[in-house]
Amino acid sequence: MAAANASRAAGANRIAIGVRVAGIDVSGLTREEAAERVRDWARQQYQQPVTLIAPQSGRTWNIPLYEAGGRFETNAAVEKAFAIGKDDGFFERVWMANRPRNVDVTPEFRFNTAPLDKCLAKIAAEVHVAPKNARAKMGEGGVLVVTQPERKGVKLDVEATKAALLAEGEEALRDGQTAKLVVTEEMPKVTSEMLGEVSTLLGSYSTSYGASSASRRHNIEKAAGFIDGKLLGPGEVFSYNEALGPRLRRLGWMDAPTYQDGQVVPGPGGGICQASTTLYNAVLRANLKIVERRNHSMPVHYVPAGCDATVDYGNIDFRFENSTSGPVYVMARAAGGKLTFNLYGVPEALPPGKVDVVTSARRATRSGFAVTTWRVITNADGTTTRELLGTSSYRPLNSGARAAAPRRPAAPRRATAAAAPASGTATPAAAPAAAAAAAVSPV
């Protein structure tokens, strides 16, 4: 009797005869022993590949099932196997004591798409081929000549690829799965056809630099060369700092006057703010959206106060958006002491009326003076539209001050652009003069 009780006690802690989990015989095993065997099986299953194939090249990506997000509920399967026969009555237990149950428990399969999304994002980066815009140069008579046609890009349609992979349901992935990548063409923002329509002068502005030193003239002409021929697709944002890059002596920028801490200080790239300012005024007259603009800490001689746009690499940028429905071409000319920017676009992008930039009278401030600037469009019917561009604050320029000794270029600083006005159409013209003075402005 004692032996029978001991046998029954042992059976109570072990899995019944003839029970399998995922085809693995776990008869007579304890929970822990069975769980280890089933986990070994799952580890092998997790190496089954989820295979994705590129439709044209045939390149394959094999993602292990575990990395793709597949999981087997092994513990629950073992518990289910362990429970078989435990609730049988006395006579049933005696009858089935040495008879196999012939039960195979299938572990439940679960699939979490979040890991798959990460895998697809990595593949998308490898597959992606960026489109290339058509390129052109300005020919005679203000007509663009296409120098390079556009090229379509390729990108992965992540959602469509995931849908193809899961087309037969998540359960179909338990032994791995194969599907083709779904790729789509990515169109360039500027095509040759679009460039054929760019024939209208949207805005123009000129300033004089003939009285500047040779080094300052060099910097202005170098800056104009970087910008000449820029093409912006609809919605594209132009960054002055990105176009020119860092202003370093080893990159060919010469020392010329800059504003720093209320002083006129020689520094590499001095004079390029005249190029950013001239471009800013052309952009205003083309009625394009100003994204970022800051005034100098002190007034400049080549435009009225409130109409300048300073830059400082890594700190202050001048940016504008092509807010038209077609491409915008930027032409820069710097010769004979005259700097001109012309912006060309499609006829529909022409401003609805005459564009003027209007400034208020100077108002005295604690540290100098301030002016407010508007863009005013006079429509054909005589009505006007006024857009507040912002208020610019300046320290007074001491014309008798001597330039300080040259300084090493300041390390790039990240500045927070001033908040946009309620209309969302422009960045306010300036921070307070005391804050602006900390920047190095290549006047």
Side-chain angles (χ1 to χ4, degrees):
M1 183 62 119
N5 289 337
S7 176
R8 284 196 296 273
N13 294 320
R14 294 183 180 274
I15 297 173
I17 296 172
V19 175
R20 296 179 299 280
V21 176
I24 301 167
D25 187 6
V26 291
S27 302
L29 300 182
T30 64
R31 279 190 178 98
E32 293 74 17
E33 292 168 342
E36 185 57 37
R37 287 194 184 183
V38 176
R39 281 195 291 268
D40 286 342
W41 165 85
R43 279 191 282 268
Q44 294 178 12
Q45 285 296 112
Y46 287 147
Q47 298 309 309
Q48 294 291 329
V50 173
T51 303
L52 294 168
I53 305 173
Q56 293 185 347
S57 68
R59 179 183 175 184
T60 61
W61 286 264
N62 293 313
I63 308 170
L65 182 60
Y66 187 86
E67 291 183 19
R71 299 291 184 273
F72 291 97
E73 300 291 343
T74 55
N75 290 337
V78 169
E79 287 299 319
K80 189 174 181 179
F82 182 81
I84 294 173
K86 295 297 186 290
D87 294 333
D88 291 350
F90 174 77
F91 291 106
E92 191 174 1
R93 288 200 304 272
V94 171
W95 174 256
M96 295 298 297
N98 295 309
R99 289 178 172 82
R101 300 276 178 162
N102 292 324
V103 177
D104 194 346
V105 178
T106 300
E108 186 177 353
F109 178 73
R110 297 186 182 277
F111 192 79
N112 180 2
T113 59
L116 177 62
D117 290 339
K118 291 182 179 180
C119 294
L120 290 177
K122 292 180 181 178
I123 295 174
E126 295 180 41
V127 168
H128 184 246
V129 177
K132 286 191 174 181
N133 290 336
R135 299 175 66 179
K137 65 179 181 180
M138 186 60 67
E140 295 181 2
V143 177
L144 284 182
V145 178
V146 176
T147 58
Q148 177 180 301
E150 71 276 9
R151 189 186 74 181
K152 296 178 182 178
V154 175
K155 66 178 179 180
L156 178 68
D157 189 328
V158 173
E159 291 304 316
T161 299
K162 185 162 62 173
L165 193 60
L166 300 174
E168 299 177 15
E170 294 180 354
E171 184 66 23
L173 271 72
R174 66 182 299 128
D175 295 316
Q177 183 64 288
T178 299
K180 286 188 176 181
L181 297 177
V182 180
V183 295
T184 59
E185 290 183 338
E186 189 174 7
M187 298 301 295
K189 291 185 176 181
V190 179
T191 66
S192 299
E193 183 179 358
M194 295 167 69
L195 290 178
E197 301 175 3
V198 177
S199 58
T200 302
L201 179 63
L202 305 180
S204 178
Y205 197 77
S206 299
T207 57
S208 175
Y209 65 96
S212 298
S213 65
S215 58
R216 189 173 187 276
R217 290 198 303 271
H218 166 85
N219 291 336
I220 291 173
E221 292 166 3
K222 183 178 177 70
F226 274 110
I227 300 169
D228 183 41
K230 288 292 182 183
L231 266 171
L232 302 178
E236 191 173 349
V237 174
F238 172 88
S239 164
Y240 192 86
N241 282 337
E242 287 181 9
L244 270 64
R247 276 70 83 175
L248 303 172
R249 296 182 184 92
R250 63 180 176 82
L251 297 179
W253 298 102
M254 294 185 175
D255 282 351
T258 66
Y259 288 168
Q260 183 176 354
D261 299 327
Q263 292 182 306
V264 180
V265 180
I272 64 166
C273 281
Q274 181 163 349
S276 59
T277 292
T278 307
L279 177 59
Y280 169 60
N281 280 271
V283 169
L284 287 178
R285 285 154 179 82
N287 200 32
L288 300 180
K289 179 180 178 180
I290 306 300
V291 176
E292 180 182 354
R293 171 262 171 185
R294 191 85 62 85
N295 64 281
H296 290 79
S297 59
M298 297 182 288
V300 295
H301 66 277
Y302 41 84
V303 291
C307 297
D308 56 320
T310 188
V311 289
D312 179 21
Y313 190 79
N315 184 19
I316 301 172
D317 201 359
F318 167 56
R319 297 186 298 146
F320 69 91
E321 178 186 329
N322 173 9
S323 48
T324 76
S325 59
V328 167
Y329 179 87
V330 183
M331 187 188 79
R333 292 291 181 267
K338 183 180 180 181
L339 173 63
T340 299
F341 282 98
N342 292 333
L343 277 69
Y344 295 88
V346 296
E348 308 86 74
L350 197 65
K354 183 176 181 295
V355 181
D356 292 303
V357 178
V358 179
T359 58
S360 68
R362 297 187 178 190
R363 302 184 304 277
T365 64
R366 181 176 300 178
S367 57
F369 68 93
V371 296
T372 301
T373 308
W374 296 267
R375 175 161 48 188
V376 180
I377 300 177
T378 304
N379 302 305
D381 60 2
T383 60
T384 60
T385 303
R386 294 171 65 88
E387 175 191 350
L388 175 64
L389 297 174
T391 297
S392 304
S393 298
Y394 301 92
R395 292 181 179 182
L397 177 63
N398 183 357
S399 59
R402 297 176 60 187
R407 298 185 182 183
R408 296 177 62 86
R413 299 184 297 276
R414 186 176 298 277
T416 302
S423 65
T425 58
T427 300
V440 180
S441 298
V443 296

